[in-house]
Amino acid sequence: MTVQNVWRKLGLSDVVDTGDSPRKFVGENPRIDNNFEYDIAVIGLGPVGVRTLHKHCISKDRMLGFDVSESRLAEIAKGSTSLSLLEDKRIAHAIDEQLLTLTADPAELSKAAVVIICVPTPVPETKILDYSPLRDACRLVVDAASPGQLIVQTTTTYAGGTRELIVEPLRERSLAPGIDVHVAFSPEQTHADSSQSKNIHAPRLVGGYTTSCREAAVEFFGRGVVKLQLTYGLEAAEMTKLFETAFQTVNTALNNEFAQACTALDIPFEEVLESANLDQDTVSGFSAGSGAGGYELTIAPHRLLNQAQAHDLQLPVLEAAMNSNKHRPATVVERCARVLADLGNELSDSKVLVIGLSNQPDTTDLFGSPALQVMDLLLKSGADVGFHDHHFAGPITLGEVHVPGYPNPRDFGADLIFLNTQHSYADLSWISDADTVIDGTYRAKGVLNRVPL
């Protein structure tokens, strides 16, 4: 039995070669299809959407940025996206050069050769994912779909989500997926950021509804991605992304657990990592820290858990890992209290400076940031808290408290320094032998009075 027949038997994605050449749908750079007014439309201008815009602005594609929020469009137009200054400047330049159009009019979506869906999936207190933004975005895209378009769903979703929200509605409009309109699932690479050159070596996952859908997506992403990771069908790609994220979630929890054990046993955890041959420069998530932040590690595991629960499946390892990561910031604060006690100080009477707010080095991603959770818990413990991160001027608002940022960290007069994220160009030379530093990265070199987390 062929792979294609196995997929059909299982009721998963049909892998049918329509015979259409992807070049019919994705032409040569820099113009994807001159029959369309725009080369690419990006739906949803949150952090991932804006970075997607920025990436294609560099290649001088004719871009359409769509968001239902007029205020968000105004922020982007003014260059105040809270991302990197370089991204803001390049997007502003693209607008000036009339390469980028911002709109809240869904009718404009029909004019783009490639439509990329980048909307977020909120997680309420119930932990049951709110798919309404994704459903609304897919409905707008399907309603505006034109023959010849390539629709790429990049929002990590449950297995079967792209079929349910895009493929079947297209059929209801009498547009044949894989023939009239091509549909693919290709999630944004985890921790992707324009300043991280290492991400060009990370493969981009691509799955299509048909083989010609996949080939159209390959032709499109192949212009700027060195490696592509291909799957048969949409569901396999969706589940692959969920598996990769679940693996990172479990691995993060395990690394933090081993790091905590090493601290208790007075064993340098960084040496354990090196001895285990883990390449910290190319494998993201394989390191201990203050918790699991970022959109993927914070949100994506809930997608798999929600779907598993709907089918009466149990995923105890993933559930335990998520619970461990959730409580990691509290462990950090407990460690701060113990170190201060050894110095003869009470946490409630101390000044704690947090260095590095981002989830990953050299990014500006604060989504689910463990550093913010640590600062919030420190404040609730009565500590005086400040931060230093050259990406953020401050202040950062946590609840009703405004935490000040210190461009010159010496001005804060900290009793304890917590190194949460160490950016490549972060200057730590100001730290003296009189300072006590808890190294939450397990990688800081040359820092005096450094104690592990």
Side-chain angles (χ1 to χ4, degrees), residues 108-317:
E108 291 293 296
L109 301 179
S110 65
K111 302 175 184 179
V114 178
V115 178
I116 303 176
I117 301 172
C118 297
V119 297
T121 308
V123 180
E125 291 297 323
T126 61
K127 302 303 181 184
I128 302 298
L129 294 179
D130 179 10
Y131 284 107
S132 58
L134 178 59
R135 293 182 187 278
D136 291 343
C138 290
R139 184 166 51 251
L140 291 176
V141 169
V142 170
D143 289 346
S146 300
Q149 282 186 325
L150 167 64
I151 298 174
V152 182
Q153 214 285 86
T154 69
T155 300
T156 305
T157 184
Y158 53 92
T162 306
R163 177 189 290 267
E164 175 188 333
L165 300 178
I166 299 177
V167 172
E168 297 305 331
L170 282 172
R171 290 191 188 282
E172 294 173 5
R173 279 201 58 204
S174 298
L175 290 171
I179 299 176
D180 298 319
V181 178
H182 282 48
V183 181
F185 174 76
S186 182
E188 185 65 52
Q189 293 154 292
T190 304
H191 306 314
D193 185 272
S194 60
S195 63
Q196 290 181 289
S197 59
K198 67 183 181 183
N199 280 298
I200 65 173
H201 301 295
R204 175 110 193 190
L205 178 63
V206 177
Y209 175 64
T210 66
T211 52
S212 71
C213 289
R214 187 181 65 180
E215 288 168 4
V218 165
E219 181 82 8
F220 171 64
F221 286 111
R223 296 185 305 153
V225 179
V226 175
K227 297 179 181 179
L228 294 171
Q229 176 185 351
L230 308 182
T231 68
Y232 283 98
L234 297 169
E235 284 83 358
E238 290 163 337
M239 196 55 135
T240 298
K241 179 59 178 179
L242 292 175
F243 179 75
E244 289 175 348
T245 305
F247 183 84
Q248 281 193 311
T249 300
V250 173
N251 195 64
T252 297
L254 181 63
N255 272 269
N256 288 338
E257 193 171 280
F258 262 76
Q260 196 167 347
C262 285
T263 297
L265 298 172
D266 196 24
I267 299 172
F269 181 61
E270 58 271 28
E271 291 188 18
V272 174
L273 283 178
E274 291 174 4
S275 299
N277 296 318
L278 296 181
D279 188 344
Q280 294 297 306
D281 291 328
T282 59
V283 184
S284 62
F286 281 49
S287 178
S290 57
Y295 185 80
E296 289 300 331
L297 295 188
T298 305
I299 303 299
H302 288 286
R303 294 185 174 92
L304 188 54
L305 285 182
N306 290 170
Q307 194 167 21
Q309 291 165 0
H311 290 80
D312 295 323
L313 298 175
Q314 299 297 318
L315 301 174
V317 174

